[in-house]
């Protein structure tokens, strides 16, 4: 069963890649535009750190660059691998074409999650790597092997969290078809992940840690690279991401169970 889904994922990814590279000029332009927008993510940071030696809530310019690096990487994953497929679910429900997905001999959540990929968003990974190198160059240090391993674990947690939050969002479309504004709202909220978590106080700190855990997505991996993330935070992030995935799966199954097709 697992090998079957791996092969199916490969087929979906290959189809998306062929479709994206059908017009090579557009593919290159889209990649360059993606790099340009990644570079613009640095602009607010340069504005805040105009004064040399200035810090924001204990985070130096070099340390904040690591947060921006994780934000850039996750933004590429979100916009290149998660949202292109899942935003189509809303349209399927609206038109009643989700029936064709449900009738296929494979898990519906898997199918709607792997329909479309945007390969040129892989440029975000290159941009993130460049930002990491630049950040550690400014800090005059390098990450430890343990820190890199911990950050990779947190990368998996972050992707799982992003995917689960999107599943929860699109599941709302089964009850309220017009959820376009909700997806735009989520994208806007995610922009806050470019800043270190200590910047936010009060209610925002609680929301961005436990409700929409932006801190786990970008600040914790940056702290892992810096070698100052506690083991408790790492374990809590893993358990929290698994919990989000479990809840999103249950909500999706409940939503599918109450789906009424257009032909009914």
């Amino acid at each position: 069963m697992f090998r079957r889904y791996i092969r199916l994922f490969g087929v979906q990814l290959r189809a998306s890649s062929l479709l994206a590279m059908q017009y090579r000029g557009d593919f290159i332009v889209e990649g360059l535009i993606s790099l340009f927008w990644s570079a613009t993510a640095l602009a607010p940071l340069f504005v805040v750190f105009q004064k040399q030696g200035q810090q924001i809530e204990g985070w130096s310019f070099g340390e904040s660059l690591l947060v921006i690096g994780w934000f850039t990487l996750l933004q590429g994953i979100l916009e290149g691998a998660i949202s292109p497929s899942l935003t189509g679910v809303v349209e399927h429900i609206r038109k009643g074409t989700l029936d064709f997905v449900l009738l296929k001999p494979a898990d519906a959540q898997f199918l709607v999650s792997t329909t479309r990929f945007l390969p040129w968003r892989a440029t975000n990974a290159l941009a993130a790597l460049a930002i990491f190198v630049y950040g550690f160059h400014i800090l005059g240090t390098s990450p430890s092997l343990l820190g890199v391993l911990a950050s990779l674990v947190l990368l998996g947690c972050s992707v799982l969290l992003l995917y689960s939050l999107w599943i929860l969002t699109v599941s709302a479309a089964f009850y309220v078809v017009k959820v376009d504004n909700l997806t735009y709202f989520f994208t806007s909220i995610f922009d806050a992940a470019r800043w270190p978590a200590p910047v936010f106080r009060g209610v925002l700190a609680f929301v961005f840690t436990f409700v929409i855990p932006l801190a786990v997505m970008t600040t914790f991996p940056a702290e892992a690279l810096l070698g100052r993330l506690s083991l408790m935070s790492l374990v809590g992030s893993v358990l929290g991401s698994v919990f989000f995935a479990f809840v999103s799966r249950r909500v999706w199954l409940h939503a599918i169970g109450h789906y009424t097709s257009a032909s009914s």
Side-chain angles (χ1 to χ4, degrees), residues 195-244:
W195 299 104
V199 170
F200 304 101
R201 300 289 181 83
V203 176
L204 284 180
F206 177 81
V207 170
F208 290 159
T209 302
F210 300 104
V211 181
I212 305 175
L214 301 182
V216 176
M217 298 179 193
T218 56
T219 301
F220 283 14
E223 288 185 328
L225 287 177
L226 292 168
R228 63 191 192 200
L229 183 73
S230 67
L231 180 61
M232 183 177 293
S233 297
L234 179 61
V235 173
S237 300
V238 173
L239 295 177
S241 60
V242 172
F243 174 74
F244 263 84

Side-chain angles (χ1 to χ4, degrees), residues 27 30-31 34-35 38 72-73 75-77 79-81 118-129:
F27 183 83
E30 292 287 356
S34 178
L35 280 176
S38 298
T72 302
L73 178 59
Q75 189 180 42
I77 294 173
E79 297 180 0
L118 303 179
W120 56 80
R121 296 301 304 201
T123 54
N124 276 58
L126 299 177
L129 182 61

Side-chain angles (χ1 to χ4, degrees), residues 11 42-43 46 52 65 111 146 150 167 212 222 252 255 262:
V11 170
L42 295 172
F46 281 106
Q52 189 174 6
L65 277 175
L111 290 176
L146 193 61
I167 286 293
I212 305 175
W252 168 264

